[in-house]
Amino acid sequence: MTHRTVQDAGPTATATPTRPLLDRLHSGTPLLGDGATGTMLHLRADLPSDACFEALVLTAPDVVLGLHRDYVAAGVDVLSTNTFAANAVQLRRHGHADDVEAINRAAVDLARTAIGDADVLLAGTVGPLGVPMAPYGRLSAEEAKGFFVQQMRALEGVDVIALETFGDHGELLTALAAAREVHPDVPVIAHATFARDDRTVLGVLPGRVAAELHAAGADVIGVNCSGGPAQIQRLIEAMRRSVPDARLSAYPNAGFAEQVGGRVLYPATPQYFAQATERLRAVGVQLVGGCCGTTPEHIAAMRTVLDDPTPPAPIAIAAPTVAPTSDAPTLEPTELGYRLAKRQFTVTVELSPPRGHDTARLLRAAELLRDAGAHLIDVADSPAARMRMSPWAAAQVLQSQVGLETILHFPTRGRNLLRVQGDLLAAHALGLRNLFVTMGDPTRIGDFPEAMDAFDIAPSALIGTIAGRMNVGEDLGGNDIGRPTGFTVGCALNMFADDLDHELDVLERKMEAGAHFALGQAVFEPSRISRFLEAYEARHGRPFDLPVLMGIMPLFGTRQARFLHEEVPGIVIPKAIFERLDAAGDRAPDEGVAIAEELVEAVRPLVAGAYVIPALGKYELAARVVASATR
């Protein structure tokens, strides 16, 4: 084992390594990085696994210094600072948002102290922000880059910037751009992390990650965290196939974690890691270390292997095979897509799935509407966050037993990226090819207010995934899904919004993403449609051409109308309608149907169709409106 000399250089030591990283990577022997920081501090400081370990450089510097010194003594060539989550976003959760500079500078000083005059390079570690970036979250790329820049400016005096454990390679590219801006002459290691299926959390394969990082100028590309050494080897081989000339790095976990007595433990032994080091070296890794669960003992075992004068024979990596192109015929357009393309006035009616498993009433309502002339049925997904049957099951039952095409409402709320894509493929397999993408109602207003309410992807981004990815044969990560899907996808639109500029901004994103149609908010003042159309044309210099199925809601009484007017955002019912309902007395439902019929005729020249929204399951009123609209 090669031992490094450790001296107490003091908190402001700035010892400079004798050889830069890129020269040393081509010495013929892989460089050795250190092991876990977080899991080791979790054990040594006796802190919970969700503690702010980065703050220990201020509150318990001796614990951090001791860990660094143990790694240097184990024989590392590259030592990492304790700054993985030392960005403002992550630190804010622990009350340290104002300590970004102090924590990062103190971490650099402690690591330099541990290195002393040893021939060890210092890597400034930068991890992800911990919140999703747009379009999957609210954090823009510019905002994310700003947080990375802030942290990296405080990492003065490091020899390397090490970007680690990025599940979203888009965020990793953003961090890489920040590193190039702040430290243009400092080499950058870019580590992605992958799930057990060898894809990132967004479904991107390692070959594409490697190619894009290499093209963006990363000096070293590779993998950290993920699973154990066996998975890391597969991932590295895929990266090498994609970018044969890249410098490669691998920092595997010590296997998959398990919880024992409140502590997070990892099963892989130092001896196993020593054997894995030989295999990683054989597939071309030039920098190897450890991530979660690895200890100074693991690193010392790896040092012994790397110091062996007889390295293993290189392993040849086969060239990637080209997937065969599907010769399946192109899907015909849906009935909805056909009607919209032919500019045929289209009438659809919203049905809610049953609260139990009995579909008899649902089928009777659909048959009534079909016989009245409805062209399609909209199937809502948990309207008002109430527990109901899965809309896929309801839609498939309707299509198979009633013979009407459906528009499946598809909210993003409550779905992560894996479920979103799986649900889309399942819907297509069931023949449900018309989708209405929406945010969905918040769970706090429904039957189970404690239910998970998060989402990974905004409606405009999901529309882009469907229209621009799946409909051309790719998943969200750009990976082949075989035969392309044939979805017709719609978005929500409120032509009557008080803030039309904001509504137009949102609509523009949805149209750019590829929306094929929109479902409009219920209309009671048709003149306001013209106001929207004029605003759109004034902004864009061209007429509005996205087909809209305008909401039509048959009213059945003054009380219902008052509730809609006062409590439902976006619905404004003029005084004249209240007067007509009041005057009708017991015949208010009939008057409501008459009003709805008049509204359909008023909007017919302005929109592509009507989206009839029955209130409280009063499908017989909706059927009368449908019959009038389609005769």
Side-chain angles (χ1 to χ4, degrees):
M1 180 185 298
T2 301
H3 293 275
R4 271 46 174 181
T5 302
V6 181
Q7 298 180 354
D8 289 327
T12 57
T14 56
T16 303
T18 57
R19 289 179 292 172
L21 173 74
L22 302 185
D23 288 344
R24 295 178 67 172
L25 285 174
H26 296 284
S27 65
T29 299
L31 298 185
L32 179 62
D34 54 10
T37 299
T39 50
M40 289 301 300
L41 292 175
H42 163 59
L43 296 172
R44 293 191 177 192
D46 195 25
L47 291 172
S49 58
D50 60 351
C52 183
F53 298 116
E54 290 72 21
L56 291 176
V57 301
L58 302 179
T59 60
D62 290 345
V63 176
V64 180
L65 181 61
L67 178 61
H68 286 329
R69 283 175 165 162
D70 287 346
Y71 279 131
V72 173
V76 300
D77 299 299
V78 181
L79 182 71
S80 303
T81 57
N82 179 33
T83 54
F84 172 74
N87 59 71
V89 180
Q90 297 269 32
L91 292 176
R92 183 180 298 123
R93 298 169 181 164
H94 302 281
H96 291 287
D98 296 330
D99 298 328
V100 173
E101 182 174 355
I103 287 174
N104 282 277
R105 290 189 182 279
V108 171
D109 289 343
L110 281 173
R112 280 289 181 208
T113 298
I115 291 172
D117 62 359
D119 188 12
V120 175
L121 299 170
L122 179 57
T125 302
V126 177
L129 300 175
V131 294
M133 282 174 46
Y136 315 112
R138 299 183 184 276
L139 188 68
S140 70
E142 293 74 19
E143 291 171 320
K145 184 179 178 183
F147 288 122
F148 288 127
V149 165
Q150 179 189 22
Q151 180 183 3
M152 292 176 190
R153 282 178 176 159
L155 290 172
E156 286 293 335
V158 298
D159 306 301
V160 184
I161 294 292
L163 310 176
E164 294 187 353
T165 325
F166 282 80
D168 174 1
H169 86 294
E171 185 184 8
L172 180 51
L173 290 167
T174 300
L176 175 58
R180 287 296 181 219
E181 177 180 312
V182 178
H183 298 293
D185 299 323
V186 175
V188 179
I189 301 167
H191 279 157
T193 191
F194 296 81
R196 294 194 186 195
D197 64 353
D198 290 357
R199 296 171 184 251
T200 69
V201 68
L202 298 182
V204 183
L205 291 166
R208 180 183 166 197
V209 172
E212 294 189 10
L213 290 173
H214 189 65
D219 297 285
V220 182
I221 60 177
V223 186
N224 80 296
C225 204
S226 303
Q231 183 192 22
I232 296 289
Q233 180 178 337
R234 292 197 309 270
L235 295 166
I236 288 293
E237 289 176 358
M239 287 186 163
R240 184 177 161 193
R241 281 193 294 268
S242 178
V243 190
D245 299 329
R247 305 178 187 93
L248 296 171
S249 172
Y251 279 53
N253 285 347
F256 291 104
E258 58 181 343
Q259 283 219 276
V260 179
R263 294 183 181 274
V264 180
L265 301 178
Y266 292 80
T269 64
Q271 293 71 30
Y272 179 75
F273 249 67
Q275 297 167 3
T277 301
E278 292 182 338
R279 297 193 299 272
L280 290 170
R281 182 178 186 179
V283 297
V285 169
Q286 293 165 277
L287 171 63
V288 62
C291 198
C292 301
T294 54
T295 67
E297 289 73 24
H298 288 83
I299 301 304
M302 297 166 78
R303 179 79 268 166
T304 300
V305 169
L306 295 177
D307 287 343
D308 188 334
T310 56
I315 296 175
I317 306 297
T321 58
V322 179
T325 302
S326 171
D327 58 0
T330 303
L331 288 168
E332 292 294 322
T334 64
E335 174 70 13
L336 175 62
Y338 177 84
R339 294 188 65 87
L340 295 178
K342 294 294 184 179
R343 300 184 181 275
Q344 297 176 355
F345 194 80
T346 300
V347 178
T348 178
V349 187
E350 180 178 298
L351 293 186
S352 296
R355 292 184 67 87
H357 59 79
D358 187 351
T359 60
R361 185 170 184 269
L362 178 75
L363 291 170
R364 286 197 301 271
E367 289 166 353
L368 172 68
L369 296 167
R370 177 199 61 195
D371 295 344
H375 301 120
L376 298 101
I377 296 293
D378 273 81
V379 182
D381 187 329
S382 303
R386 304 296 182 188
M387 195 288 294
R388 292 181 180 271
M389 176 189 288
S390 161
W392 308 308
Q396 202 278 333
V397 167
L398 291 173
Q399 289 195 171
S400 63
Q401 298 190 38
V402 180
L404 279 183
E405 224 178 62
T406 60
I407 300 174
L408 176 66
H409 290 206
F410 197 97
T412 62
R413 195 185 298 274
R415 287 180 164 103
N416 62 30
L417 288 170
L418 290 175
R419 185 184 167 199
V420 162
Q421 295 175 89
D423 288 352
L424 288 170
L425 294 175
H428 201 279
L430 292 171
L432 311 178
R433 293 172 48 206
N434 300 311
L435 301 174
F436 168 58
V437 172
T438 180
M439 179 68 75
D441 294 318
T443 59
R444 67 177 181 274
I445 69 172
D447 292 334
F448 300 94
E450 74 280 1
M452 189 269 286
D453 203 33
F455 60 93
D456 283 351
I457 188 167
S460 57
L462 181 53
I463 291 168
T465 298
I466 296 166
R469 292 285 193 181
M470 289 188 159
N471 277 2
V472 297
E474 297 178 350
D475 65 12
L476 185 57
N479 306 304
D480 182 31
I481 62 170
R483 187 181 180 189
T485 57
F487 287 117
T488 299
V489 57
C491 64
L493 172 61
N494 181 8
M495 288 184 166
F496 320 123
D498 292 332
D499 187 351
L500 269 187
D501 284 335
H502 174 71
E503 187 68 19
L504 288 168
D505 288 340
V506 174
L507 175 64
E508 188 171 341
R509 291 196 294 270
K510 293 173 180 177
M511 292 178 68
E512 288 176 352
H516 299 120
F517 70 98
L519 294 185
Q521 180 70 280
V523 60
F524 292 98
E525 294 180 292
S527 61
R528 300 183 71 185
I529 298 177
S530 298
R531 168 176 167 260
F532 172 87
L533 297 176
E534 291 166 1
Y536 182 91
E537 187 164 358
R539 172 184 283 208
H540 295 283
R542 65 180 187 276
F544 179 61
D545 59 358
L546 183 69
V548 176
L549 305 181
M550 181 56 62
I552 300 291
M553 184 179 292
L555 301 171
F556 58 84
T558 304
R559 183 176 178 182
Q560 176 214 13
R562 181 64 60 190
F563 170 81
L564 294 172
H565 180 77
E566 299 290 349
E567 298 194 30
V568 179
I571 292 185
V572 177
I573 300 177
K575 182 180 179 181
I577 289 181
F578 282 106
E579 292 173 347
R580 288 178 63 176
L581 292 172
D582 283 336
D586 292 341
R587 294 185 59 258
D590 294 329
E591 190 64 21
V593 169
I595 292 169
E597 291 173 345
E598 293 167 13
L599 289 171
V600 171
E601 293 310 307
V603 304
R604 190 183 290 269
L606 303 174
V607 296
Y611 163 48
V612 182
I613 310 168
L616 301 178
K618 295 186 179 296
Y619 297 119
E620 67 282 358
L621 300 183
R624 291 166 60 185
V625 177
V626 169
S628 172
T630 56
R631 61 171 175 255

